[in-house]
Amino acid sequence: MAEVAEAAAIKGSAAAAVLLMLFDEDEAAQILSRLEPDEVRQLGYAMYDVADVQVEEVSEALDHFVTKAKKRTTIGYGATRHIRGAMTKALGEERAETILARITPPTRSTQLEMLKWMDAKEVASLIEAEHPQIMAIVLAHLEAPVAADVLQLLPAEYQEEIVYRIATLGPVSNEALDDLEQLLLRGSTSKKQGAASQRGGTIEAAAIMNNVRKENEQRIMKAVAKRDKMIAQTIEEEMFVFDNLIDMDDKNMGTLMRTIDSSVLVVALKGANDMLKGKIFGSMSARAAQAIADEIEERGPIRLAEVMEAQKLIIATARRMADAGTIMLGGKGNDFV
């Protein structure tokens, strides 16, 4: 048991906790202040767990850290360019910009970051009497699951309006953010000139809607479609993508796969990760799965545009079957009655 404890003490959050406890209080506080709430909680638990760490374990944690640090060739040099390049290659320009807008360290201090430490009820109570545009800006600054909880706590008559405004939200000026901070947090801030802050968009709206209860999702999206059919369609396309098929159970997956032409599936799976491939193959007979796998192996390179088109075709089929009640797409624990 001691050997197991020792191995665990030098990995993951435990190793980070050991390193953090080597700093004095002020230094540790500076590090903690840069972390997200969940990370602070996780590190807090880990720090208690390693409170009686041995000298040998400290040495191993340091060795582990140094080894990992040596592999980070961009530390201190060109990190921003490296991160942006990697994100763009992995996610595409539009998705990368959306993610980077959230994770790039701010060039200005904003009290809106304090919203991350509040629960959904607190946020909802702060903005429930405000203009829908203010509600939209606030929700766009929250993580999608929290934003979805807040959205469902706000008056039902505003929910469609808020989702639409999030989907069409443009850059928000620093001046507007300063005014919003004063309004939300009852504090005074000085006006600052600077670049606009980008939040919102259909990807952001889709992420929020993916965390909304099914009955609310249908009502809100129907109302958004009445206002702007193209915006509603774009949000829906972003809400359910090919990788989301992983959430389906084997029975529903099998029903869907039986309607898909094998030539389409071969192309679509060229761009799929191994876990999703395994999920899809597991819903088929061993013979059918092997035939598809062999054909994928035999096919040469396929243009990304063709792969995306095949995946969109399968997703469109899945949506139609879900709307007809033939299958359940899964992914939301409260979709059952």
Side-chain angles (χ1 to χ4, degrees):
M1 291 296 292
E3 292 178 356
V4 173
E6 180 177 347
I10 59 171
K11 293 181 180 179
S13 58
V18 170
L19 292 172
L20 196 61
M21 292 181 70
L22 296 178
F23 294 103
D24 62 34
E25 288 184 8
D26 290 338
E27 293 170 329
Q30 289 184 37
I31 296 172
L32 289 171
S33 69
R34 297 174 182 269
L35 302 178
E36 294 295 325
D38 287 345
E39 294 171 329
V40 173
R41 284 190 286 271
Q42 185 177 355
L43 263 180
Y45 289 131
M47 289 169 73
Y48 276 107
D49 289 340
V50 300
D52 57 350
V53 66
Q54 302 299 312
V55 174
E56 294 80 7
E57 294 171 309
V58 173
S59 297
E60 290 190 34
L62 287 170
D63 289 343
H64 179 68
F65 173 75
V66 171
T67 299
K68 294 190 71 173
K70 286 179 178 178
K71 297 177 181 178
R72 302 295 194 267
T73 58
T74 57
I75 286 181
Y77 180 78
T80 299
R81 184 171 62 253
H82 178 83
I83 294 168
R84 178 172 292 277
M87 286 282 190
T88 300
K89 288 180 180 179
L91 306 174
E93 186 171 350
E94 183 178 356
R95 288 179 179 275
E97 286 299 328
T98 300
I99 295 297
L100 287 167
R102 279 190 170 278
I103 67 173
T104 301
T107 56
R108 62 187 289 274
S109 176
T110 171
Q111 293 183 19
L112 280 174
E113 293 299 309
M114 292 177 62
L115 291 170
K116 293 181 179 181
W117 298 84
M118 302 169 67
D119 64 29
K121 289 183 179 179
E122 290 177 307
V123 178
S125 68
L126 278 175
I127 64 175
E128 62 184 355
E130 303 301 336
H131 190 279
Q133 184 70 5
I134 291 178
M135 297 179 184
I137 294 172
V138 170
L139 264 63
H141 279 77
L142 299 173
E143 293 299 322
V146 179
D149 289 341
V150 174
L151 177 67
Q152 294 171 101
L153 290 170
L154 295 172
E157 61 267 26
Y158 292 146
Q159 291 174 1
E160 165 264 324
E161 175 83 8
I162 295 167
V163 172
Y164 178 79
R165 286 177 180 270
I166 291 172
T168 57
L169 191 64
V172 181
S173 69
N174 278 341
E175 290 79 6
L177 290 177
D178 282 337
D179 289 340
L180 185 57
E181 287 171 355
Q182 293 183 43
L183 179 65
L184 293 177
L185 305 174
R186 306 294 188 264
S188 60
T189 58
S190 58
K191 296 293 183 181
K192 304 176 182 69
Q193 299 293 326
S197 172
Q198 178 65 55
R199 288 293 191 273
T202 53
I203 294 176
E204 189 93 17
I208 293 173
M209 291 306 300
N210 270 332
N211 288 275
V212 169
R213 289 190 297 273
K214 189 68 176 179
E215 64 271 20
N216 291 335
E217 173 202 314
Q218 293 175 338
R219 172 178 54 79
I220 293 170
M221 290 308 303
K222 185 175 180 180
V224 173
K226 283 185 177 180
R227 171 188 286 249
D228 192 318
K229 190 173 181 179
M230 287 298 296
I231 288 290
Q233 182 178 338
T234 304
I235 293 174
E236 288 179 343
E237 288 176 353
E238 294 289 352
M239 283 175 64
F240 192 78
V241 295
F242 194 69
D243 285 348
N244 294 137
L245 292 176
I246 195 74
D247 295 325
M248 295 177 66
D249 61 31
D250 290 343
K251 180 180 178 181
N252 286 291
M253 180 73 83
T255 302
L256 172 62
M257 288 301 115
R258 284 193 290 273
T259 69
I260 304 299
D261 187 274
S262 62
S263 62
V264 174
L265 186 57
V266 167
V267 176
L269 290 182
K270 267 287 190 177
N273 60 58
D274 290 341
M275 188 175 295
L276 179 54
K277 285 180 183 177
K279 178 81 172 182
I280 291 175
F281 289 156
S283 69
M284 304 176 177
S285 68
R287 182 177 179 180
Q290 188 60 54
I292 295 293
D294 290 343
E295 192 169 347
I296 291 173
E297 187 69 26
E298 292 170 3
R299 288 289 297 265
I302 301 177
R303 292 176 58 192
L304 181 59
E306 293 180 48
V307 174
M308 298 299 293
E309 191 62 34
Q311 292 182 354
K312 286 182 179 179
L313 181 60
I314 294 175
I315 289 302
T317 302
R319 282 206 191 95
R320 286 196 300 271
M321 294 178 70
D323 290 341
T326 308
I327 62 172
M328 294 186 67
L329 297 179
K332 294 184 180 181
N334 52 4
D335 285 352
F336 299 93
V337 294

